[in-house]
Amino acid sequence: MSRRRRGARGPAAPRPAAPLQVWVLHGLYDVCYATLLVLLAPLFLYKLATSRRARAGLRQRLGGLPRRRGERPCLWIHGVSVGEVKAAMGLLEALPARLPGWEPVISTTTLQGYRLAQRSCPGVLTFYYPLDFSLVTRRALARIRPAAVVLMELELWPNFLLSCDRLGVPVCLVNGRISARSYRGYRVARRFLPEPHQRIRFYGVQNEEYATRIRNLGVRPEVVHVTGQMKYDTIDVDPDRVPELRREYRALLGIDPDAWVLIGGSTHPSEEEDLLEAVARLAEDAGGGRVRLILAPRHLERLAEVEAVVRRAGFPLVRRTELPAAAGRGAAERAVILVDTIGELGKLYAAADLVFVGGSLIPHGGQSMIEPAGLGLAILFGPHVWNFQDSVAAFVAANACVQLRDRSELAGAVRALHRDAPRRHELGRRARAVVAGLKGATERNLDLIVRMVSS
C-alpha cells in the first residue's frame, strides 16, 4: 500500500499533521521523555543497583539489539509480558502455513516475559523492546530489519510507530484492548501528539466496546475489526486428559491424591492473607492435613514477602523448586506450596479443586481466568476485574463462576464450594464450555496480518 493511501483519513479522523509539525511534536516528545528520565534518575540508579529485573536487557532497551542474520522477510511480534507472550504462541505456530518463508522474532518488556519467550520459542530471536527515543527506535529497527510489526494488546509508542512509518514497515495491533482508564489517558495524549493512532494499519480488538473506544480516538472505522480474545485459543486440553493431568501434577507437587487443593493464581499483596485465613478455617473443619493451598504470586519479586506472610500465619511452606524432593519431609506434606517458577501456573492449575484468580480483591483489575476455566475447574474472583470484563461477562452470563462482592466473602465462598463437589463440577463444566465457544481469535487476527503484509 502506498504511503499516500496509508496516510488517508476518514471524516471522523483528525486532520493529518504536516511533516514539520510531526518533526517538532516528536522532538518535543523526546525532550519530555528525556526530562522525565533525568528527574527520575536517582530512582532508576537505585533500581539498577538493587534490582536484577531493572538491569535485565538494559543494553537492548537502549537499541543494542542482536543483529538479525539472513534475508528472509521478518515479522516482529511484541508482547509486553507473560500473558501476551503466551497469546502470541498461537501466531507463531500458525505462521509457517499462513506466511511461508517468513522469519518471526519476539520482543517483550519484562524479565518474566523474556524468559518465557526464550524457553517456549527455541530458535526464535528474542529480545527486549526498545525505549521510545527516536534514535533508539531507529537503531533497533535497523538491527532487526522487520518487514512488518505485530503489537499484542495495546502498545502504542509514538516514536516507534513513526520510525516504522518512515521505513515503510506496516504495523498491526492484535488481541487489542483498551480500558476506560487507558482510553482517558490516550484522549489527553492525543491533544499533544495527535497522529500515532493513525500509523496502525489494522486494529484487531477483543470486543465491540474496545473497538468503539479506538474509533473515538479518531481511528478510521474501516481499519478496526472485532476479532475476539486470543487467550482462549491457548487452551487446548482434551477434557478426558484432565484427570490424568491432575494425578501427574499432584504427584509432581507431592500432594496426596485425596487432598482438597485450593490454588491462588497470580495473587497480589494482601490476597495471600485472605487465602490463608480461608484455608485455616477449612483445615479446622476438615481435620487438618487434607486441605492444601498453592500460592502463585503474580510477581516473583514478592516471593520473600509472601513466604514471610505464610510463616507469620503459622503455616509450613515449601517452594515449588524444592519439590518433589521435599514432599516427604514431615511438615511439607501439609505445607503451603509457593510457586517460584515462570510460565508453569497454567499446568499446575490441573492439580486444583478450586481456583481463586488474583488481582481481583484489590483495585488492580484482575488477572486472566481463562486457563483454569479451560481445564474445567471451578473459579472464583473478587469484584475488581475490569481488565477482563469481557471474559467475566461471559462466565457470569453462563453461571460458570463465583464472583465475590468483597474480600469478606472469600472464606465463606471457599467453605461452601469445598462442601459442594457437584456445584464445583458444574461450574467447571460450564466454564470449559464458555472457553470452547470463544475460540478462533488467533485465525481472525492472522487474517489481518496476512492482509497487511499482502497489501
Side-chain angles (χ1 to χ4, degrees):
M1 183 178 291
S2 70
R3 185 174 299 277
R4 181 175 179 181
R5 185 178 173 189
R6 282 191 279 120
R9 305 293 192 270
R15 180 176 297 176
L20 178 60
Q21 183 185 3
V22 170
W23 184 84
V24 171
L25 286 172
H26 282 266
L28 288 173
Y29 172 77
D30 271 341
V31 170
C32 292
Y33 197 23
T35 301
L36 180 62
L37 291 178
V38 169
L39 291 174
L40 296 176
L43 176 61
F44 288 151
L45 291 173
Y46 172 77
K47 284 191 169 292
L48 287 174
T50 60
S51 171
R52 182 181 179 187
R53 183 177 67 152
R55 295 191 299 271
L58 182 60
R59 180 181 177 185
Q60 293 186 9
R61 297 179 198 275
L62 294 174
L65 304 181
R67 290 188 182 275
R68 185 176 69 88
R69 306 299 178 186
E71 297 301 324
R72 290 193 294 158
C74 170
L75 186 68
W76 178 339
I77 301 174
H78 174 62
V80 176
S81 190
V82 170
E84 294 80 10
V85 171
K86 283 184 177 179
M89 295 299 103
L91 293 177
L92 290 169
E93 291 175 4
L95 197 63
R98 300 298 302 272
L99 289 174
W102 280 63
E103 177 185 358
V105 299
I106 302 176
S107 66
T108 186
T109 302
T110 68
L111 175 61
Q112 293 183 14
Y114 179 79
R115 287 174 174 171
L116 177 63
Q118 280 200 316
R119 186 173 66 250
S120 303
C121 311
V124 175
L125 181 62
T126 302
F127 49 90
Y128 286 93
Y129 193 71
L131 293 176
D132 202 43
F133 286 110
S134 298
L135 291 174
V136 171
T137 58
R138 289 200 295 267
R139 184 184 182 199
L141 287 164
R143 287 175 172 264
I144 301 301
R145 298 176 290 111
V149 173
V150 174
L151 305 175
M152 302 292 296
E153 300 211 356
L154 195 70
E155 277 289 285
L156 307 184
W157 291 97
N159 277 331
F160 182 81
L161 293 174
L162 178 62
S163 296
C164 287
D165 189 69
R166 285 176 169 170
L167 291 170
V169 176
V171 181
C172 179
L173 184 139
V174 302
N175 211 44
R177 62 185 178 114
I178 176 169
S179 67
R181 180 182 300 177
S182 296
Y183 173 62
R184 291 192 294 268
Y186 278 118
R187 283 182 65 87
V188 172
R190 182 169 165 257
R191 299 174 186 173
F192 304 98
L193 207 63
E195 35 62 59
H197 296 93
Q198 309 301 323
R199 300 188 188 281
I200 304 291
R201 186 76 63 87
F202 292 114
Y203 287 82
V205 299
Q206 296 177 16
N207 61 42
E208 185 58 42
E209 182 177 8
Y210 298 152
T212 299
R213 289 173 182 165
I214 293 291
R215 296 184 195 110
N216 287 343
L217 291 173
V219 175
R220 291 173 291 129
E222 64 269 23
V223 305
V224 183
H225 303 264
V226 177
T227 52
Q229 163 64 275
M230 289 171 59
K231 288 182 180 177
Y232 291 110
D233 295 331
T234 65
I235 309 300
D236 189 23
V237 178
D238 183 345
D240 293 336
R241 283 204 66 225
V242 172
E244 176 188 341
L245 292 173
R246 176 185 172 93
R247 290 189 296 271
E248 177 183 340
Y249 284 103
R250 286 196 171 208
L252 188 66
L253 297 172
I255 296 175
D256 190 277
D258 297 325
W260 193 87
V261 178
L262 169 65
I263 292 184
S266 298
T267 55
H268 288 249
S270 79
E271 292 180 327
E272 292 91 6
E273 287 95 328
D274 295 315
L275 289 165
L276 288 163
E277 179 183 352
V279 168
R281 294 186 187 181
L282 278 187
E284 293 173 0
D285 292 347
R290 311 305 296 174
V291 177
R292 298 294 300 272
L293 173 63
I294 300 174
L295 292 176
R298 172 63 175 169
H299 301 292
L300 293 188
E301 307 89 83
R302 296 187 57 240
L303 286 172
E305 170 195 335
V306 175
E307 183 167 350
V309 167
V310 173
R311 296 197 186 283
R312 281 199 304 270
F315 286 82
L317 179 140
V318 61
R319 292 197 176 201
R320 162 68 186 94
T321 51
E322 299 172 342
L323 295 169
R329 297 206 307 256
E333 296 178 0
R334 302 181 304 280
V336 172
I337 296 173
L338 182 59
V339 179
D340 58 351
T341 55
I342 296 173
E344 191 180 29
L345 178 59
K347 297 177 181 178
L348 297 182
Y349 277 136
D353 292 282
L354 177 65
V355 173
F356 166 78
V357 181
S360 60
L361 291 180
I362 59 173
H364 170 77
Q367 302 294 157
S368 176
M369 58 286 295
I370 295 173
E371 286 179 317
L375 287 168
L377 296 168
I379 53 175
L380 75 159
F381 42 81
H384 304 291
V385 287
W386 59 80
N387 285 335
F388 296 90
Q389 57 185 355
D390 206 36
S391 297
V392 170
F395 290 127
V396 169
N399 192 22
C401 64
V402 173
Q403 184 171 16
L404 311 173
R405 288 174 294 186
D406 56 55
R407 65 191 328 140
S408 67
E409 295 185 344
L410 177 63
V414 170
R415 176 178 285 181
L417 289 168
H418 172 260
R419 294 173 174 174
D420 194 346
R423 187 183 179 207
R424 291 199 313 273
H425 296 154
E426 180 61 16
L427 286 170
R429 184 192 67 79
R430 290 170 178 264
R432 184 163 49 210
V434 169
V435 171
L438 291 173
K439 289 176 180 282
T442 299
E443 280 300 317
R444 289 188 286 273
N445 280 304
L446 274 166
D447 289 341
L448 288 183
I449 295 169
V450 172
R451 182 176 166 190
M452 172 182 70
V453 302
S454 301
S455 58

